[in-house]
Amino acid sequence: MKVSIRKFQKEDIKKKVEWINNPENNRYLHYDLPLEYEKTLDWFEKNKDRTDRYDAVIECGGEAVGLIGLLSVDRKNSKAEYYISMGETSVKRKGVAFRASRLLLDYAFLTLRLNKVYAYTEIDNVPFQRLAESLGFLREGVLKADIYSRGSYVDRIVYGMSVRDFLSRRGGTPVGFFGNLGENRLYVKREDLIPFSFGGNKARKAKLFFEEVDGGGFDCVVTYGSGSSNHCRVVANMCAQRGLDCVVISPLEASERTFNSVLMDEFGARIICVPVSEVHDTIEKTLAELRSSGKNPFFIQGGGHGDTGTRAYRECYDEIKSYEAENNLFFDYIFFASGTGTTQAGLVCGQLIYGDDRKIVGISVARKNPYGRNVVLDSVRSFLKDAPEEAIQASTHFVDGYVGGGYGTYGDKIKNTVRRVMVKYGIPLDSTYTGKAFCGMEEYVKSNGISGKNILFIHTGGTPLFFDFLRGTHNI
Ligand SMILES: *Cc1c(COP(=O)(O)O)cnc(C)c1O
């Protein structure tokens, strides 16, 4: 279930009153009970425009389920106090508080750029202490007889988290400085180093898809893609790891043997090759057959397209923000290979959420405009239901000028780029995705006269394709 947080609104007052008055929730809260609607409305009207606090509502699957926020936002000392109070008892103990708190900490450290977040908790509020510690808060000390509550003086524990600790826990794939690109500074984010099945953006997406598979009682996975698909290789590996059946529907026109297809065989995936025009019907038929034989299949769209894939790169955007905050720099441009556009959609969603003024440029590896860009727009709209249309349009740069002869085709320019990058940086690119994107980025930067900027190239993976490239260029 998707967990999100948003600003507290007038319409939430009724729920707040109900939650706070529930004895299962208010043991450690300090309100004059029972809380009344009129008083709470007063509180809301008085406080709604204050900038020294942030009151938010936790939503789970679109339903309001609790309260969270920051108090005493102190700009001078760059710190704030974190609070959380779950309201709906049905969602307790399901990790919702943890996920909501992570979102709040993102807001505190990445949007407000605070230096410290702290929290107080009564000495016997063990559930909160567990939550704080699992989030990475450090126990800083005990304040003796700190408050008067329900007839006695009680000790409180104070927890704290610094921006350094927050950032170092976030981690993410490494980012390296690679020197100059024209008059610009070039950085590369190594998604190819995600530690599963040769990594890549399909590994980041698959991790989230398989959280759904693991949580939903599914016993097999169906997906589709070509014989050179990184997505199908990672999905087949994920299935094999769990002992789940994996069915890959593959278009006959693109079912040549590659290192990825050999790996799929190695993982025991069942590959069904049909003409591309029959792929859609074959998927439906396969799913129906599996269901009628008593199986419960999980279907993943080709390339890991869809809201879950978008979420993977929405989260990657947070990693980029963390890197920037930690290193005190800002990427003016972000380039990468765009295929189904899911990676791009996730990054654009991140940009829209934070309101960052930068250019995210997807270099198309196959699709032409307007189709290619429209798919990205649709993915963004689907993921961020209330983002303004002008902002979505303004943030979506899908460049189709470097697709050459189409998907998988390449000429000498790309061949030379792959060789040059391997020699100069020791990084394998491939001729279908990352080589094309790198080459496209270099030309884009030159032809648009970009200089004096920080540029991030996202290496989206595809390492097995590098070996196909070697085999193709050396007749192995
Ligand atoms: C699939 C893939 C892409 C394209 O990602 P999308 O999210 O489909 O746009 C880029 N690079 C590599 C190596 C890929 O495997």
Side-chain angles (χ1 to χ4, degrees):
M1 204 78 99
K2 189 175 165 198
V3 175
S4 55
I5 64 174
R6 59 158 174 83
K7 207 168 163 26
F8 186 94
Q9 294 161 355
K10 199 170 175 177
E11 293 69 38
D12 300 313
I13 295 174
K14 228 178 108 235
K15 277 275 181 205
K16 175 172 176 172
V17 170
E18 181 192 314
W19 291 335
I20 301 294
N21 287 331
N22 181 347
E24 286 197 55
N25 297 332
N26 62 23
R27 172 140 178 239
Y28 296 106
L29 304 177
H30 306 110
Y31 287 91
D32 288 328
L33 297 173
L35 193 63
E36 287 159 11
Y37 182 87
E38 284 306 321
K39 262 199 195 150
T40 311
L41 181 62
D42 249 17
W43 164 85
F44 175 76
E45 293 297 346
K46 275 207 203 90
N47 291 294
K48 66 181 195 301
D49 297 324
R50 279 169 65 172
T51 53
D52 63 342
R53 59 185 293 155
Y54 173 67
D55 294 291
V57 166
I58 303 168
E59 288 193 339
C60 183
E63 292 289 318
V65 298
L67 304 167
I68 193 166
L70 297 169
L71 304 172
S72 314
V73 177
D74 171 353
R75 289 295 182 174
K76 181 159 168 284
N77 298 299
S78 196
K79 62 178 185 173
E81 179 185 342
Y82 145 66
Y83 74 87
I84 182 165
S85 171
M86 295 305 286
E88 297 297 328
T89 22
S90 62
V91 300
K92 287 189 179 180
R93 295 177 199 286
K94 296 210 168 95
V96 177
F98 179 80
R99 284 153 72 189
S101 300
R102 291 256 304 222
L103 295 171
L104 184 79
L105 292 173
D106 288 351
Y107 179 75
F109 288 118
L110 301 178
T111 304
L112 298 181
R113 291 179 157 264
L114 296 178
N115 180 60
K116 181 175 183 181
V117 173
Y118 58 95
Y120 296 108
T121 185
E122 290 180 27
I123 195 97
D124 57 351
N125 186 353
V126 176
F128 181 81
Q129 290 157 32
R130 282 210 193 104
L131 172 66
E133 282 162 26
S134 67
L135 286 163
F137 277 91
L138 294 178
R139 198 175 158 123
E140 296 189 337
V142 177
L143 304 168
K144 290 290 180 189
D146 194 43
I147 49 163
Y148 187 74
S149 175
R150 293 176 188 83
S152 66
Y153 291 98
V154 284
D155 297 351
R156 288 204 297 178
I157 299 173
V158 58
Y159 280 98
M161 185 188 295
S162 69
V163 67
R164 286 250 148 243
D165 292 347
F166 167 79
L167 294 173
S168 66
R169 273 179 72 90
R170 281 200 76 104
T173 53
V175 176
F177 174 56
F178 281 76
N180 288 341
L181 176 61
E183 302 285 303
N184 306 283
R185 294 164 62 83
L186 175 66
Y187 295 76
V188 178
K189 184 165 172 69
R190 302 291 303 277
E191 292 290 280
D192 58 319
L193 297 182
I194 290 173
F196 186 81
S197 197
F198 301 104
N201 63 350
K202 303 314 183 299
R204 187 185 281 273
K205 296 181 199 178
K207 188 166 170 281
L208 296 190
F209 279 109
F210 278 80
E211 279 177 12
E212 293 173 26
V213 172
D214 293 340
F218 297 95
D219 52 16
C220 59
V221 174
V222 176
T223 191
Y224 67 94
S226 71
S228 57
S229 166
N230 294 311
H231 164 71
C232 294
R233 178 243 314 153
V234 172
V235 168
N237 203 159
M238 284 274 187
C239 285
Q241 183 184 48
R242 289 164 174 73
L244 299 177
D245 288 343
C246 179
V247 184
V248 175
I249 320 290
S250 193
L252 258 178
E253 293 82 347
S255 58
E256 72 285 7
R257 269 180 94 67
T258 65
F259 283 104
N260 276 332
S261 73
V262 172
L263 282 165
M264 287 179 230
D265 289 342
E266 190 68 23
F267 300 135
R270 177 152 67 96
I271 319 268
I272 303 177
C273 282
V274 295
V276 68
S277 57
E278 289 170 27
V279 164
H280 178 81
D281 289 348
T282 310
I283 291 167
E284 295 300 322
K285 215 179 90 203
T286 307
L287 287 169
E289 279 169 10
L290 285 164
R291 289 195 183 105
S292 65
S293 71
K295 286 275 202 183
N296 185 18
F298 185 86
F299 175 66
I300 307 177
Q301 282 198 51
H305 187 61
D307 282 349
T308 302
T310 305
R311 182 155 59 88
Y313 275 85
R314 155 73 194 90
E315 289 176 4
C316 177
Y317 193 89
D318 287 340
E319 287 181 13
I320 296 170
K321 293 287 286 182
S322 300
Y323 182 85
E324 290 178 321
E326 197 163 13
N327 293 279
N328 211 3
L329 59 81
F330 184 79
F331 296 118
D332 304 289
Y333 286 85
I334 301 177
F335 290 94
F336 51 89
S338 211
T340 68
T342 317
T343 299
Q344 182 163 0
L347 295 171
V348 168
C349 288
Q351 178 180 29
L352 292 172
I353 287 166
Y354 286 105
D356 291 328
D357 182 19
R358 67 171 114 234
K359 206 158 173 182
I360 295 175
V361 185
I363 305 286
S364 177
V365 298
R367 291 176 180 171
K368 288 293 225 174
N369 282 326
Y371 174 64
R373 180 166 179 271
N374 283 339
V375 177
V376 181
L377 296 174
D378 282 344
S379 300
V380 176
R381 291 181 193 121
S382 161
F383 190 82
L384 275 190
K385 299 243 160 29
D386 47 13
E389 182 62 21
E390 319 85 80
I392 298 177
Q393 294 281 349
S395 297
T396 307
H397 309 281
F398 186 88
V399 174
D400 69 357
Y402 309 102
V403 295
Y407 183 80
T409 62
Y410 62 98
D412 283 345
K413 209 151 47 181
I414 287 170
K415 220 191 261 186
N416 293 334
T417 302
V418 175
R419 286 179 170 149
R420 181 163 46 87
V421 170
M422 187 68 205
V423 170
K424 187 165 172 194
Y425 304 116
I427 298 182
L429 299 181
D430 70 85
S431 52
T432 303
Y433 296 102
T434 52
K436 239 181 205 181
F438 200 92
C439 193
M441 168 181 72
E442 289 179 323
E443 291 187 18
Y444 184 97
V445 165
K446 205 188 265 174
S447 65
N448 287 279
I450 296 166
S451 75
K453 303 294 186 195
N454 290 320
I455 295 178
L456 180 68
F457 179 76
I458 301 181
H459 188 317
T460 45
T463 302
L465 299 177
F466 171 75
F467 293 99
D468 290 326
F469 169 80
L470 279 188
R471 198 177 51 161
T473 50
H474 292 80
N475 294 314
I476 294 169

